[in-house]
Amino acid sequence: MSQLKVNSIVPVGGLPSGADGGIIQIVHAETTSQVSDTSGSFVDSGVTATITPSSNSSKILVVASMQWSIRRDATETSGSFKLLRGSTAISTHTSCVHIEADTTSQSRIISKGGYTIQRLDSPATTSATIYKVQLATGHTGNSAIISISTDSTPSCITLYEVTA
């Protein structure tokens, strides 16, 4: 079995002026499981991954892409996402998806789409670090539900360890 082990890969033309690092590790996870919220409180979405940085000075580029659906029965409603490192929120997206109120009909309306969060984080650790996305509906009760979609397209999170 052949192995190639290197400390870094540098382009043929060299690194751009002032650059001295690159991506040294990638972790990817995806889910098609459905998680819903009707409470208005943030709940874990199932979009989660763990990375163990190789250096305290490394940064982690987090790219989370959620396939969502939101339902409302009568009133305007919204959904929010939150990106966490462990239990610490590092990026909050309040009312980033929504359905307008419909004054002509009381029928159930379902909207679907995709939403992406990108964040460059500095965890300052070499311990295993969990990144996850939580979701919440802007209105409580059965009249408003935000979900990670169960369609065939998965929601995913990718973690890139970037050296300084």
PDB file of all heavy atoms in Angstrom, residues 4 17 19 28 35 42 86 119 125-126 143:
ATOM      1  N   LEU A   4       1.364   8.788   0.775  1.00  0.00           N
ATOM      2  CA  LEU A   4       2.014  10.075   0.550  1.00  0.00           C
ATOM      3  C   LEU A   4       1.708  10.934   1.763  1.00  0.00           C
ATOM      4  O   LEU A   4       0.541  11.182   2.074  1.00  0.00           O
ATOM      5  CB  LEU A   4       1.474  10.744  -0.722  1.00  0.00           C
ATOM      6  CG  LEU A   4       1.951  12.169  -0.977  1.00  0.00           C
ATOM      7  CD1 LEU A   4       3.459  12.188  -1.222  1.00  0.00           C
ATOM      8  CD2 LEU A   4       1.196  12.754  -2.159  1.00  0.00           C
ATOM      9  N   SER A  17       1.629  36.363  -2.262  1.00  0.00           N
ATOM     10  CA  SER A  17       2.399  37.221  -1.363  1.00  0.00           C
ATOM     11  C   SER A  17       1.697  37.364  -0.015  1.00  0.00           C
ATOM     12  O   SER A  17       0.512  37.667   0.050  1.00  0.00           O
ATOM     13  CB  SER A  17       2.585  38.597  -1.999  1.00  0.00           C
ATOM     14  OG  SER A  17       3.286  39.439  -1.118  1.00  0.00           O
ATOM     15  N   ALA A  19       0.914  35.007   2.048  1.00  0.00           N
ATOM     16  CA  ALA A  19       0.238  33.785   2.472  1.00  0.00           C
ATOM     17  C   ALA A  19       1.259  32.782   2.993  1.00  0.00           C
ATOM     18  O   ALA A  19       2.354  32.666   2.469  1.00  0.00           O
ATOM     19  CB  ALA A  19      -0.531  33.173   1.304  1.00  0.00           C
ATOM     20  N   HIS A  28     -16.758  16.438   6.819  1.00  0.00           N
ATOM     21  CA  HIS A  28     -18.064  16.678   6.205  1.00  0.00           C
ATOM     22  C   HIS A  28     -19.088  15.719   6.799  1.00  0.00           C
ATOM     23  O   HIS A  28     -18.787  14.537   7.023  1.00  0.00           O
ATOM     24  CB  HIS A  28     -17.976  16.466   4.688  1.00  0.00           C
ATOM     25  CG  HIS A  28     -19.275  16.637   3.983  1.00  0.00           C
ATOM     26  ND1 HIS A  28     -19.779  17.868   3.644  1.00  0.00           N
ATOM     27  CD2 HIS A  28     -20.191  15.724   3.574  1.00  0.00           C
ATOM     28  CE1 HIS A  28     -20.942  17.710   3.036  1.00  0.00           C
ATOM     29  NE2 HIS A  28     -21.209  16.418   2.979  1.00  0.00           N
ATOM     30  N   VAL A  35     -36.112  17.310  11.540  1.00  0.00           N
ATOM     31  CA  VAL A  35     -36.229  17.848  12.886  1.00  0.00           C
ATOM     32  C   VAL A  35     -37.087  19.093  12.759  1.00  0.00           C
ATOM     33  O   VAL A  35     -36.875  19.911  11.875  1.00  0.00           O
ATOM     34  CB  VAL A  35     -34.842  18.219  13.469  1.00  0.00           C
ATOM     35  CG1 VAL A  35     -34.987  18.910  14.798  1.00  0.00           C
ATOM     36  CG2 VAL A  35     -33.974  16.981  13.597  1.00  0.00           C
ATOM     37  N   PHE A  42     -34.766  27.489  20.252  1.00  0.00           N
ATOM     38  CA  PHE A  42     -33.817  26.806  19.376  1.00  0.00           C
ATOM     39  C   PHE A  42     -33.661  25.348  19.788  1.00  0.00           C
ATOM     40  O   PHE A  42     -33.539  25.033  20.974  1.00  0.00           O
ATOM     41  CB  PHE A  42     -32.451  27.507  19.412  1.00  0.00           C
ATOM     42  CG  PHE A  42     -32.396  28.722  18.539  1.00  0.00           C
ATOM     43  CD1 PHE A  42     -32.545  29.984  19.078  1.00  0.00           C
ATOM     44  CD2 PHE A  42     -32.211  28.616  17.169  1.00  0.00           C
ATOM     45  CE1 PHE A  42     -32.503  31.116  18.283  1.00  0.00           C
ATOM     46  CE2 PHE A  42     -32.167  29.734  16.348  1.00  0.00           C
ATOM     47  CZ  PHE A  42     -32.312  30.993  16.907  1.00  0.00           C
ATOM     48  N   GLY A  86     -19.741  23.912  20.191  1.00  0.00           N
ATOM     49  CA  GLY A  86     -20.128  23.371  21.494  1.00  0.00           C
ATOM     50  C   GLY A  86     -21.477  23.963  21.877  1.00  0.00           C
ATOM     51  O   GLY A  86     -22.442  23.861  21.132  1.00  0.00           O
ATOM     52  N   ARG A 119     -18.885  30.731   8.380  1.00  0.00           N
ATOM     53  CA  ARG A 119     -18.257  31.444   9.498  1.00  0.00           C
ATOM     54  C   ARG A 119     -16.824  30.960   9.653  1.00  0.00           C
ATOM     55  O   ARG A 119     -16.559  29.756   9.677  1.00  0.00           O
ATOM     56  CB  ARG A 119     -19.054  31.169  10.771  1.00  0.00           C
ATOM     57  CG  ARG A 119     -18.454  31.627  12.050  1.00  0.00           C
ATOM     58  CD  ARG A 119     -18.534  33.115  12.202  1.00  0.00           C
ATOM     59  NE  ARG A 119     -17.863  33.498  13.430  1.00  0.00           N
ATOM     60  CZ  ARG A 119     -18.169  34.538  14.124  1.00  0.00           C
ATOM     61  NH1 ARG A 119     -19.113  35.340  13.717  1.00  0.00           N
ATOM     62  NH2 ARG A 119     -17.517  34.822  15.212  1.00  0.00           N
ATOM     63  N   THR A 125      -7.963  25.690  20.262  1.00  0.00           N
ATOM     64  CA  THR A 125      -7.882  24.424  20.971  1.00  0.00           C
ATOM     65  C   THR A 125      -7.368  23.341  20.028  1.00  0.00           C
ATOM     66  O   THR A 125      -7.429  23.489  18.808  1.00  0.00           O
ATOM     67  CB  THR A 125      -9.259  24.015  21.536  1.00  0.00           C
ATOM     68  OG1 THR A 125      -9.105  22.834  22.338  1.00  0.00           O
ATOM     69  CG2 THR A 125     -10.270  23.750  20.430  1.00  0.00           C
ATOM     70  N   THR A 126      -6.869  22.267  20.629  1.00  0.00           N
ATOM     71  CA  THR A 126      -6.546  21.061  19.863  1.00  0.00           C
ATOM     72  C   THR A 126      -7.435  19.905  20.316  1.00  0.00           C
ATOM     73  O   THR A 126      -7.159  18.754  20.000  1.00  0.00           O
ATOM     74  CB  THR A 126      -5.057  20.684  20.011  1.00  0.00           C
ATOM     75  OG1 THR A 126      -4.758  20.514  21.402  1.00  0.00           O
ATOM     76  CG2 THR A 126      -4.157  21.746  19.404  1.00  0.00           C
ATOM     77  N   SER A 143     -49.513  26.300  14.401  1.00  0.00           N
ATOM     78  CA  SER A 143     -49.732  27.118  13.206  1.00  0.00           C
ATOM     79  C   SER A 143     -48.426  27.465  12.512  1.00  0.00           C
ATOM     80  O   SER A 143     -48.444  27.993  11.410  1.00  0.00           O
ATOM     81  CB  SER A 143     -50.480  28.402  13.572  1.00  0.00           C
ATOM     82  OG  SER A 143     -49.685  29.194  14.420  1.00  0.00           O
TER      83      SER A 143
END
